[in-house]
Amino acid sequence: MVQPPGPLAGDASHGDAGASASHPQDGDAGGALAGDPLASQPPTFSDGAARRILRDGFGVTGSLAALAGERDQNFRVDTADGQRFLFKISNPADTRPVLAMQTAALRHIEQVDPGMPVMRPIPTTAGEPWAEVPGPDGRAYPVRLFTFLPGRTVAAAELTPAALRSIGQVTARLGRALRGFFHPAADYEILWDITRLPALRPMLGHVPDRARRAQVARVLDRFEARVAPVLPQLRAQVIHADMSLNNVLLGEDLQVSGIVDFGDMTHAPLVCDLAVAVADVLHGREDTVGAAEVMIGGYVAVTPLDDEEAGLLADLVAARLAADITLTTWRLGVYPDNAAYAADSEVGAPAFLDSIEALGLDAVGERFRDACRGLPYRRSATAPLLERRRRALPRSPLFYDHPVHLVRGEGAWLFDAAGRRYLDCYNNVPVVGHGHPRVVRAVAEQQRLLATHSRYLHEAIVELAERLQATLPPSLDAVIVLNSGSEANDLAWRIARAATGHAGALVTEFAYHGLTEATHALSPEEWAAGERPAHVATVPAPDGYRGAYRRDQAGWAERYAAHVDEAEAGLGGRGVAAMFADPAFTADGILAPPPGYLRDVARRVRALGGLLVADEVQAGHGRCGSHLWSFQPSGIEPDLVVMGKPMGNGFPVAALVASSAVLAAVPEEVELFSTFGGNPVACAAALAVLAVIEDEGLTENAAEVGGYLREGLLALQRRHPVIGDVRGEGLLLGVELVEDPRARAPAAARADQVTEAMRDRGILLGTTGPAGNVLKIRPPLVFRRDHADRLVNALDEVLAAPGR
Ligand code: PMP
């Protein structure tokens, strides 16, 4: 720790190898240091005297080469038969219990992890851990002999990802090896112990630069408020506590070949070992935070960290850097003659702390937490990635002028490659929140246990089917588990034709039901100009704001429903096999249907001999607030229900639920099966999602927060004439933008501008509706009131601005 960093010659790196009590002792905050290496000179035994001590004490003869040492006198010993040792004459000031602890720790490590690259203490010929020899000053000098470790110290910039990972792994292994170690001297208190950071406050005055001093004070304040209260709850043991660049030797392959200097060993939270390694190995690099993630990944591959430990790691790294800065400048004040040494020794710590502050300690904390979870994500540069995507996937659509380059999500938040977070107000796939731990666990565990198709007997698919049935009217008693909404609608269409003998379909004018040939035909939203399959007829969606019949007109629900009969006439005599309807009419502009509308539609479709398919892919799974399924408030019983998208919280899974009477129309010998459909992993995901929705009360939350958000949006409407209409249920809300409230001309370009400007403010929205002028608000159902406030406030600002 206290040695100057830098690429020292291999041998020189052993100068501090023998564990010296080399740091300021606690309580010395004001003046000169009893235990500081700069306070006392290393011993100066002659080569001849050293050789005699070595021979008499350890029975070893050989040539001696002096090595550097701040406080001890060190020699490399080469014997005639080719053996190499480290011979150390310690400073007489070193306390014997601490020396005894170091020897005991090295022996313990040797016993529990013989491959660990640490020095082995070699006993004296009398079998003692060390000998004491009188010096010229009459004081007793402890002398010790150790095996010699190969390798050299390297500069931070030289460390490759493999080397960083190796340092992380070895740090964890060292902690493991010391796990069962006890020694009465382990309560040894030193200021370098991160947990003692508050003791450095009196030294802050020594930090000459005012901005730097304020920065260190900020770290201290945060440490006292957030870290110190939690520390006593963490796993603690004896740790090395000084995995710095000077104390880690690397071989030619840049893997760790030696760990030296056990002089800071103390009883402290285990995670402090990793924090020191991150802080003290990486400073001097440009990419400190990224390199830290690699090192952390190495550590947790050996020893996973608890959530509490992981959550504190960034603060502990900052604390160590703050200690580096404070103790270095403080020492400079005490020993001005050693300015060069002090300035040299911690030159990278301020830069590292600056880079953490530039990103934000919370953001770095998040990244470290992810790295602790073993979730290192790739972070390619955005522009070249975009270019590659455009070349490799020319027809894959991307949102935004400058696409959002995402790397992870959590709850209602998404994070981009630069660490910026976005409030997700758009995505219904992560219905229970991005990365919900219960779903993640269910998927991971099931993937490990069994992942096969559904033609074997297995609980998950049965449980899922029963669970879905229990949420639906009793007539819907037959479940088919599939992989996508398109596939489920496609099959629904096949079944409807078989069951009715008819060949025509009805859909709303801007509906979306899927990507396959059959479902594309049912999706006017996606039809090319002039495209209109002959077997499909459209009905106007019940738009009470801009459609043919308005909310304030009596009988508007019936008038819309009556279009079913009219449309049937357009099917060229094919007859209605089914009407497909998203009960929230999302693609049509998010239209909560008027009371009685769906019931009337169902009655008319059935009177024509057709089936009603409720497409719950968008609006289902609790989104609309009052019920799990969006058709339920209308009181209808659809003939077929299709669900998908949010069903697995991102894991592909969909389902079709019908009555067995309807299904009977498909001959028995026709197998209704898809390889991945209903596989145990998909079913585990779907079951976890249903369980979370229920246990966390997410349907109720959608109603409650959705209602609150709707009020906020209505308040905005009163202030911003560009908002023509606010509508929807639960957490599926539409905000229709118009050129002016009277003429109601759709303001589509403005809607696009608004979504872009909201993205600039860290909020993700979409647009929908035939004119694309309806802001689509469809967040994960873990959305809270404070998220709603954030959305409304940002929208307020954006709408107040003249446009981008
Ligand atoms: N139906 C509706 C109502 C949808 O919104 C979608 C997807 N947007 C689908 C069906 C198709 O589902 P998938 O994309 O999973 O095939």
Side-chain angles (χ1 to χ4, degrees), residues 169-460:
Q169 282 172 334
V170 165
T171 305
R173 258 179 77 190
L174 187 55
R176 282 194 157 208
L178 285 170
R179 196 184 272 177
F181 178 70
F182 171 78
H183 197 276
D187 65 349
Y188 169 60
E189 290 179 352
I190 58 173
L191 285 174
W192 289 103
D193 176 356
I194 305 179
T195 65
R196 308 187 61 77
L197 189 72
L200 303 192
R201 208 178 269 282
M203 301 175 179
L204 274 187
H206 289 274
V207 179
D209 180 73
R210 198 136 57 87
R212 186 66 68 202
R213 194 160 62 236
Q215 181 187 47
V216 172
R218 278 196 296 279
V219 174
L220 260 148
D221 292 345
R222 200 174 138 115
F223 186 92
E224 283 174 351
R226 289 180 36 133
V227 182
V230 189
L231 288 175
Q233 301 166 28
L234 304 185
R235 283 184 284 186
Q237 60 168 74
V238 174
I239 60 170
H240 180 276
D242 198 10
M243 291 290 286
S244 69
L245 263 190
N246 301 316
N247 296 335
V248 178
L249 308 178
L250 290 108
E252 286 312 311
D253 55 358
L254 285 181
Q255 297 287 295
V256 176
S257 62
I259 301 166
V260 296
D261 192 353
F262 283 68
D264 282 7
M265 252 194 335
T266 185
H267 190 271
L270 178 65
V271 64
C272 292
D273 235 0
L274 176 58
V276 171
V278 168
D280 288 7
V281 167
L282 299 179
H283 58 57
R285 286 179 74 101
E286 297 273 306
D287 60 338
T288 38
V289 174
E293 289 171 316
V294 178
M295 197 191 280
I296 293 165
Y299 188 98
V300 297
V302 177
T303 300
L305 291 178
D306 294 342
D307 282 350
E308 293 75 21
E309 295 168 326
L312 289 186
L313 186 54
D315 275 291
L316 291 170
V317 170
R320 174 67 171 198
L321 294 168
D324 288 342
I325 293 167
T326 311
L327 287 168
T328 304
T329 50
W330 166 73
R331 180 182 281 152
L332 201 60
V334 180
Y335 307 107
D337 294 347
N338 282 295
Y341 162 75
D344 237 27
S345 74
E346 310 301 353
V347 79
F352 193 170
L353 197 51
D354 288 346
S355 65
I356 289 178
E357 279 212 327
L359 288 168
L361 197 42
D362 285 329
V364 173
E366 285 290 327
R367 285 176 60 170
F368 284 6
R369 231 161 43 126
D370 286 339
C372 287
R373 291 181 189 140
L375 287 175
Y377 30 82
R378 290 172 63 187
R379 223 184 286 270
S380 317
T382 298
L385 184 65
L386 181 60
E387 188 46 41
R388 280 166 56 203
R389 160 132 173 182
R390 289 199 165 130
R391 228 175 297 131
L393 300 111
R395 293 300 297 265
S396 263
L398 272 170
F399 284 151
Y400 298 109
D401 294 346
H402 302 287
V404 184
H405 176 184
L406 295 176
V407 292
R408 70 178 193 92
E410 188 173 332
W413 295 95
L414 286 164
F415 297 82
D416 75 6
R420 181 162 186 219
R421 69 176 190 165
Y422 299 86
L423 183 62
D424 184 359
C425 301
Y426 180 73
N427 289 288
N428 70 333
V429 170
V431 64
V432 297
H434 292 277
H436 195 291
R438 258 176 95 177
V439 184
V440 170
R441 207 177 322 118
V443 167
E445 286 175 2
Q446 189 56 55
Q447 179 82 42
R448 204 176 54 209
L449 280 171
L450 180 72
T452 181
H453 60 80
S454 64
R455 281 185 282 209
Y456 303 103
L457 190 57
H458 186 266
E459 274 92 349

Side-chain angles (χ1 to χ4, degrees), residues 64-82:
L64 264 55
L67 304 175
E70 290 164 2
R71 156 179 191 78
D72 302 332
Q73 193 176 8
N74 298 305
F75 299 95
R76 188 187 73 208
V77 181
D78 286 290
T79 65
D81 60 359

Side-chain angles (χ1 to χ4, degrees), residues 542-572:
D543 183 344
Y545 174 70
R546 108 171 15 264
Y549 321 112
R550 305 285 169 90
R551 274 174 215 149
D552 50 7
Q553 294 171 357
W556 68 288
E558 289 88 344
R559 293 175 78 182
Y560 274 118
H563 278 268
V564 166
D565 298 306
E566 249 172 62
E568 191 267 348
L571 290 174

